[in-house]
Amino acid sequence: MRTTFLLLVLTVATFIHSQVTKTINVETAGSLSTILTEDEKSTITDLTVSGTIDARDIKCMRDQIANLTNIDLSMANIIAFEGIATSSDYYSYAANQMPRLSFYNGVSSKAKETLVSVILPNSLTTIEPYAFRLCKNIKSIYIGNSITTIGTEAFEGCYGLTTVTMGNSVTTIQQDAFHYCYALNNLTLSENLTYIGIDAFNDCKIEKVAFPKSLTTINSAFRRNDYLTEVTLPATITNISNWAFEYCNALKTIYSLNPTPPVCETYSFAVVPNVTSVYVPASSVSAYKNAPIWGDCFYSQIKAIPATETQVQLTDEVEIYSLNSDIVIDKTSRGEVVKVFTTTGQLFYIKESTGEQIIIPALKNNLFIVKTATKTAKILI
């Protein structure tokens, strides 16, 4: 009984010791290291920081707070700093940027492996290169609505990262940004994305990718995704580079919405042996079959996109179809919620049904996902 009691006390003490929370307002940038005591630096696990900080404060979090697990910087403002901080070299750090090498030490080649979650500053515009490289225990990250650029290798090797959600301000994802994120299986891309760098999402676990309409070119950003089964290419895609989907062995379905077949390079679809369907606009089936690479790789798989393709159907009562440039939803029940999403997962329309027919204007050459209480369907306008 005494042994059991001692073990219980030890367990409780360990739990209490392992959860140490600190909220602090930094009035003078660069002072976090002097504000915290040595005991706090060795025990804090959950840190919330507001006020004004710079790259020196980020360095303190990386190198001095040994057990730091959760960081909330949402109310902090990062200002410019010139000098030696997260980088061992003299460097000019710009304001509103998550500094390069924030939680990856370029000298020791070690990352902040205790880090599990980070809430980024609301005012942040850029995540600089190598910021979270090899932080293998980060589980998810929200790239907020103020951020425009994700730098080279910013999250490379974050092996535990499963979910990445981007606000629509992100326009640029640089090379290798999420390379080797082996667990990444839930990805929402910005609808204003204009550039995805080479190898940005290579070796991930992503199952479906719907590229935003803001893209015109797809680089070799998704190759070696062994779980990728479906790709949707918007009507704006005009070019697909070499190795774009190389070794995506599980890829089965491709939707290409451009009536003019995008120009492919020789190895755009290298080693994708299991594709069974390439859906294209009905008027363009012949053009795709005669287009270089499309016809060479997928001649017998190319077919017209059905006007309505039901993914999940639990009842035959609800009707979902396109008419001219409208989405038509009929025979829903009064009170049930109807939602329409873009293929990137952004909510396009929501309404509580009155039981009457619902007509939703939409742009042509776009694919939407319609969800009612009993039915989910893809609809091409």
Side-chain angles (χ1 to χ4, degrees):
M1 176 65 78
R2 178 178 174 79
T3 302
T4 302
F5 176 75
L6 289 174
L7 284 173
L8 179 61
V9 170
L10 180 61
T11 300
V12 172
T14 301
F15 176 79
I16 293 173
H17 178 73
S18 66
Q19 302 293 320
V20 179
T21 300
K22 179 74 173 181
T23 298
I24 191 167
N25 182 69
V26 178
E27 296 182 358
T28 304
S31 64
L32 181 62
S33 179
T34 59
I35 294 173
L36 297 174
T37 67
E38 292 304 312
D39 181 65
E40 286 174 326
K41 291 176 183 177
S42 65
T43 57
I44 289 174
T45 58
D46 295 20
L47 179 64
T48 298
V49 177
S50 59
T52 304
I53 63 175
D54 62 27
R56 293 169 294 178
D57 300 302
I58 302 297
K59 182 180 186 297
C60 170
M61 298 177 207
R62 183 190 73 189
D63 296 341
Q64 297 182 37
I65 308 179
N67 298 302
L68 192 56
T69 303
N70 303 299
I71 305 173
D72 183 348
L73 300 176
S74 58
M75 300 306 294
N77 290 311
I78 299 177
I79 65 171
F81 172 73
E82 190 168 331
I84 297 176
T86 55
S87 173
S88 60
D89 299 322
Y90 191 94
Y91 188 77
S92 293
Y93 298 89
N96 297 320
Q97 295 187 351
M98 203 69 203
R100 61 176 51 233
L101 301 163
S102 287
F103 294 98
Y104 175 75
N105 190 318
V107 176
S108 66
S109 298
K110 293 183 178 179
K112 193 71 176 176
E113 295 187 357
T114 58
L115 203 56
V116 172
S117 72
V118 179
I119 302 176
L120 299 171
N122 292 330
S123 56
L124 203 68
T125 61
T126 304
I127 300 175
E128 283 281 273
Y130 325 111
F132 297 95
R133 188 174 190 269
L134 296 180
C135 291
K136 64 181 184 180
N137 287 308
I138 292 179
K139 304 301 181 186
S140 64
I141 191 76
Y142 173 64
I143 313 296
N145 283 321
S146 61
I147 296 172
T148 62
T149 303
I150 303 172
T152 301
E153 298 182 31
F155 294 92
E156 184 184 51
C158 290
Y159 307 136
L161 187 63
T162 62
T163 302
V164 174
T165 305
M166 297 178 195
N168 285 330
S169 59
V170 177
T171 60
T172 303
I173 302 174
Q174 297 287 8
Q175 180 173 336
D176 293 303
F178 296 91
H179 199 173
Y180 302 125
C181 291
Y182 295 123
L184 179 56
N185 60 8
N186 188 2
L187 173 65
T188 302
L189 294 173
S190 163
E191 288 201 344
N192 293 307
L193 197 59
T194 58
Y195 177 79
I196 305 178
I198 294 171
D199 296 342
F201 292 96
N202 287 13
D203 298 289
C204 294
K205 201 176 181 180
I206 300 163
E207 294 183 7
K208 294 184 179 182
V209 177
F211 294 96
K213 292 181 291 184
S214 49
L215 277 177
T216 59
T217 299
I218 297 176
N219 295 321
S220 57
F222 284 83
R223 60 178 176 169
R224 293 198 301 270
N225 271 262
D226 290 335
Y227 294 81
L228 187 63
T229 62
E230 182 178 305
V231 170
T232 301
L233 309 175
T236 53
I237 295 296
T238 58
N239 293 275
I240 302 176
S241 301
N242 269 334
W243 323 116
F245 300 103
E246 180 194 26
Y247 290 115
C248 291
N249 295 304
L251 185 59
K252 292 183 178 180
T253 306
I254 300 171
Y255 288 89
S256 185
L257 306 185
N258 193 338
T260 301
V263 175
C264 296
E265 295 186 21
T266 303
Y267 302 107
S268 297
F269 294 99
V271 197
V272 287
N274 295 308
V275 174
T276 58
S277 299
V278 178
Y279 290 110
V280 303
S283 61
S284 303
V285 171
S286 178
Y288 273 83
K289 287 189 173 184
N290 289 303
I293 309 304
W294 289 103
D296 298 335
C297 295
F298 309 119
Y299 187 89
S300 62
Q301 288 84 18
I302 295 171
K303 60 192 77 173
I305 302 175
T308 302
E309 183 189 14
T310 303
Q311 290 181 311
V312 179
Q313 184 170 331
L314 302 178
T315 177
D316 292 328
E317 291 185 2
V318 175
E319 296 179 0
I320 302 171
Y321 56 94
S322 62
L323 182 64
N324 299 321
S325 295
D326 298 328
I327 300 170
V328 181
I329 307 168
D330 206 359
K331 299 183 181 179
T332 53
S333 300
R334 178 183 292 273
E336 74 173 286
V337 177
V338 174
K339 296 180 182 179
V340 180
F341 298 87
T342 67
T343 51
T344 58
Q346 300 295 320
L347 185 63
F348 175 74
Y349 176 92
I350 184 170
K351 181 179 180 179
E352 183 176 306
S353 174
T354 62
E356 302 294 327
Q357 185 183 72
I358 300 171
I359 300 176
I360 308 165
L363 294 175
K364 279 188 172 294
N365 295 322
N366 282 282
L367 199 62
F368 296 91
I369 299 169
V370 181
K371 292 187 177 183
T372 70
T374 58
K375 191 173 186 177
T376 300
K378 277 186 177 177
I379 188 84
L380 176 68
I381 301 301

